[in-house]
Amino acid sequence: MSYVNSRVRKKDAMSLVTGKPVYTGDLIPQNTLVVKLLRSPHANAFIEEINTAAALKVPGVAAIFTYQDVPTSRFTTAGQTYPEASPYDRLILDKHLRCAGDPVAIIAAETEAAALKAMNLIKVKYDVREPLLDFTKAKDNPILVHPEEDFKALCPVGADNRRNLCSTDVFEVGKVEEALSTCDVVLTRTYHTKANNQAMMETFRTYSYLDEYGRLSLVSSTQVPFHVRRILSNALEIPKSQIRVVKPRIGGGFGAKQSAVSEVYPAFVTLKTGRPAAIVYTREESMTNGSPRHEMQMTVRIGANKDGVIKAIDLYALSNAGAYGDHGPTTIGLVGHKSLSLYGGVEAARFACDVVYTNTMNGGAYRGYGATQGIYAVETAVNEMAAALHMDPCAIREKNMVLEGQVMRTYYNETCNSCTLDKCMAKAKEMMNWQEKFPAKVLENGHIRSVGVAMAMQGSGISGVDIASVEIRLNDDGFYTLLVGCTDMGTGCDTILAQMAADCLDCDIDRIAVRGVDTDQSPYDTGSYASSTTYVTGMAVVKTCEKLREKILEAGAKLLDIPVEDTEFDGKRVFCPGKDKEVSLSQIGYASFEGHNRCISASESHSSPVSPPPFMVGMVEIDLDPETGKVEIVDYAAAVDCGTVINRNLATVQTEGGIVQGIGMALFENIQYDKFGRMMNNSFLQYKIPTRLDAGKIRVEFESSYEPTGPFGAKSIGELVINTPAPAITNAIYNATGLYFRELPIRPEDIALGLLHKDEN
Amino acid sequence: MQITVTINGKKYTEDVAPDLVLLDFLRAHGCYSVKRGCETSNCGLCTVHLNGKPVLSCSVLAVRADGKSVTTLEGLQKEAEEFGGFLADEGGEQCGFCSPGFIMNVLAMVRELENPSEQEIQEYLAGNLCRCTGYQSQLRAIQKYLAWKQEGTK
Ligand code: FES
Ligand code: FES
């Protein structure tokens, strides 16, 4: 039986659907202190005085901490490989409050009621300053978000706290100005994407305790347990050897939990009080002080000839880091690399960027990680170019898209070894019946049905940076334990890695017990982000299985007393072909646990010098009511090249889920602040994510290429799939109205007003 | 305030604070399937049955359950496994955090509506948010489950 490329149920599925207590919040022990944070009402302020005396008298209050109590080493909460590109720009608690909701005090109490009562009794005198809220005015603004002397950037990302710069960069291939000057048509367009909240259903949460060895132990809803260990060590100024991080089941992450948002607070309380402590973020806190997608403004200059050949693209992106630089310098890189590279043949391309600090909530990692913003801008510009040239937007792509075998000059000069983007385009057109439906038709009720298109890519892991290791042990009776350090957050990686192992070891998937993640026990893995798990950790599984097979053969040969060259292993037994000699895996397992033999296990790690992009084409059909401007998603066709599909169900659901998140970004989601810098839409009542009535019908097909460097030919899928809705829907709205909306989300009122003005003109 | 509530068939008589919500009362009694996803009655994660009818347990005071019977997924394990199997076969429980509330509402719908159309299903469950799956797999699972149930009653 082959498990790869089939529809295997997730290993944890039945415990999830029967509601078993497997998440962080279900595991918090009795008598754990409840941790709450007093948060700043001001976006830019200094604490002048803080008085906790009355609050400490509330019965049940165990401790209250202020900036005077915490360590003074700056750190980043971004979960990235050391040395992190994100500047070390924050303290656990700081005298300087840089955004609304920045923590002012940590309160630990026996009950939530006591903690909240104490919170109200803390007296704070603020020196309130004018906040810097407009990110387009942040660079070299006299208001400094990080005036401190001890601001530190570990990597040369161009950070300069005296200029509100978190990072800056530029790269160019070919000569952009020259190429643009020879084009028949050059368009310059500016696009604006907003901050979006990941809105995973399980908010940030962590509990901590001192274990039987006196070490600080955490159970946390995190995508990056090993990074959390280092972040805590930096923040708390204690050795990493004193910290253990365990990840149970996670209620969604989408990148939000690639930052240590909640971990430091209970950890600090436990360290100070010796007591178990837990923090569970409210939805409001998750909204106001999470780690959302970076808001960006992007200007695209695109040049093409009349025949539709795109010759040059020049892209400038300005990103709002917010108050802290988590993921700021790295997110921006993808804006360029993962958008321009869709057009492999361009003569010249340039990408320049600035990431700036402001007094708004800090950004973080959100599925797509900058590629989403960049692809929206470039794909929309390409659609605008198609319109300017009176071309079908599919046709212009067919002329210019990246092809297998091409060297991607804007993608670290990697060769595109696996790519069926052309087939994805053909497939999507067929699924959507594009020829028939493009561009639009008016229905009897006056509504307009129109279609739109976009392409997308992503990476598979961070080349030369991500490392994954796994260990597989053979046990008595011949079953295996697969130890992984990557974090299944609902994505199903525990299952797909077991599928791969089962195929490599020719065994039933139930004979593989998977265990992740405990930093004391699991082999090292950078964590689950950057679409790395299937591709990078998967390869570590393949390598480990190869090693393990060798060891099993050796052990079998020894037991059979024949040379190892004469033996074979078929998953159940080691045998000598043609001869009547065999020993079962179960016997080998038992023997390995006994006396003179050796335990059989293997552990390999993997890191990839390349990050092969998965590709896709997304096509949407919308129903637009020109009276009200309301847009409904009728149909979404997705043709995806993620290399070999490891699990059809999970890959399909990833795609469907990513597309619906993308629909949210395109039509509804927008983090908004009032003039004081306080987030206004801080609940699901105001911040609307798509419900099942907004999702429309989504159809997914795979056009698999084969990636030679991936496990079983696989690439990634998790992030890619969020990238097409925004540009495809923008395109469909244009095809319905003749208007391009260059700011997301595109709201009904924008469309209705746009149509009104169009009529007036 | 003293209340008597039956949770999954077992009777509890207890003193509770008047502002205690049913969600917290249930979790305090070991019903960990009941999740909280918001503070504004918008997510549906906390859905339980109160006297057989689906309610948002975050928006019902524990005292309102006095004299009534509450069912959570812990009390419907057989149905959870039945429908859950269909959901699992579609990959429709991604992180699974929304699954208990969603399944409670699906089970309520199946009791309430006979042969619901696709539109009726989507409307009935509109209050159950899911950020992972994009809802399609959940719909496929429901339709297959309904078909399977029809088969069974033939
Ligand atoms: S917790 Fe969100 S509706 Fe009850
Ligand atoms: S499966 Fe994660 S929220 Fe629904």
Side-chain angles (χ1 to χ4, degrees), chain A residues 500-682:
Chain A
M500 293 186 201
D503 276 11
C504 290
L505 296 167
D506 289 308
C507 72
D508 194 292
I509 197 167
D510 291 334
R511 296 196 66 81
I512 297 182
V514 189
R515 183 60 48 193
V517 178
D518 174 341
T519 55
D520 275 1
Q521 297 177 31
S522 310
Y524 180 76
D525 195 300
T526 32
S528 288
Y529 59 89
S531 294
S532 58
T533 308
T534 302
Y535 177 73
V536 185
T537 314
M539 210 56 202
V541 167
V542 170
K543 283 165 127 181
T544 302
C545 290
E546 279 167 14
K547 199 53 184 221
L548 192 67
R549 287 187 76 108
E550 285 173 22
K551 292 189 175 183
I552 291 170
L553 279 176
E554 275 169 30
K558 194 171 156 219
L559 288 172
L560 294 171
D561 203 18
I562 52 173
V564 69
E565 305 81 58
D566 297 348
T567 57
E568 278 181 26
F569 174 52
D570 68 1
K572 292 204 171 62
R573 61 195 177 127
V574 171
F575 62 103
C576 180
K579 297 225 179 73
D580 189 18
K581 280 195 159 192
E582 67 170 52
V583 55
S584 75
L585 186 64
S586 169
Q587 285 168 308
I588 296 173
Y590 277 114
S592 74
F593 275 21
E594 170 229 338
H596 316 286
N597 299 307
R598 282 202 195 152
C599 289
I600 298 173
S601 77
S603 177
E604 292 289 320
S605 61
H606 184 68
S607 163
S608 175
V610 293
S611 175
F615 296 97
M616 74 177 283
V617 171
M619 285 187 185
V620 69
E621 180 178 12
I622 60 167
D623 180 286
L624 187 145
D625 180 349
E627 298 269 319
T628 62
K630 188 165 173 15
V631 170
E632 274 183 31
I633 307 295
V634 178
D635 189 15
Y636 208 105
V640 181
D641 165 23
C642 58
T644 300
V645 178
I646 303 294
N647 186 318
R648 291 218 149 231
N649 269 353
L650 302 187
T652 303
V653 176
Q654 279 286 328
T655 309
E656 292 163 347
I659 286 169
V660 173
Q661 286 183 358
I663 291 171
M665 177 186 187
L667 296 178
F668 315 119
E669 299 182 38
N670 176 15
I671 291 174
Q672 290 169 291
Y673 299 96
D674 67 12
K675 65 173 193 263
F676 305 108
R678 296 173 195 140
M679 186 179 170
M680 296 191 289
N681 46 350
N682 57 14

Side-chain angles (χ1 to χ4, degrees), chain A residues 199-243:
Chain A
M200 60 285 166
M201 284 298 128
E202 180 198 39
T203 58
F204 302 99
R205 54 196 61 195
T206 305
Y207 73 88
S208 55
Y209 59 97
L210 295 180
D211 72 6
E212 57 274 39
Y213 305 104
R215 293 165 75 229
L216 178 66
S217 290
L218 270 87
V219 176
S220 193
S221 183
T222 178
Q223 295 173 228
V224 285
F226 286 97
H227 291 330
V228 165
R229 184 170 70 182
R230 186 189 59 252
I231 292 164
L232 287 173
S233 157
N234 287 344
L236 301 169
E237 297 177 344
I238 61 171
K240 294 176 192 64
S241 61
Q242 289 306 304
I243 304 169

Side-chain angles (χ1 to χ4, degrees), chain A residues 9-10 13 17-18 20 23 25-26 197-198 282-284 366 490 649 656-657 661 669 690 692 696 698, chain B residues 27 35 37 39 42 73 77 85 89-90 93-97 103 122 125 128 131-132 135-136 138 140:
Chain A
R9 253 191 206 182
K10 275 197 334 198
V17 299
T18 53
K20 296 292 183 288
Y23 302 92
D26 306 335
N197 193 289
Q198 294 86 350
T282 59
R283 177 59 59 189
E284 182 179 334
Y366 182 176
N649 269 353
E656 292 163 347
Q661 286 183 358
E669 299 182 38
R692 66 193 71 228
I698 298 168
Chain B
R27 282 186 69 89
K35 300 287 191 269
E39 294 98 42
N42 288 102
L73 206 59
Q77 287 289 293
D89 283 339
E90 294 296 331
E93 75 323 332
Q94 200 179 104
C95 77
F97 205 72
I103 294 174
Q122 300 293 59
L125 299 169
N128 292 90
R131 189 58 154 173
C132 296
Y135 306 109
Q136 316 285 317
Q138 296 184 343
R140 289 194 290 271

Side-chain angles (χ1 to χ4, degrees), chain A residues 129 174 215 373 712 746:
Chain A
R129 308 281 176 91
R215 293 165 75 229
Q373 294 95 314
F712 297 88
I746 306 174

Side-chain angles (χ1 to χ4, degrees), chain B residues 36-38 41-44 46 56 58:
Chain B
R36 184 193 292 281
C38 71
S41 312
N42 288 102
C43 73
C46 60
L56 299 175
C58 69

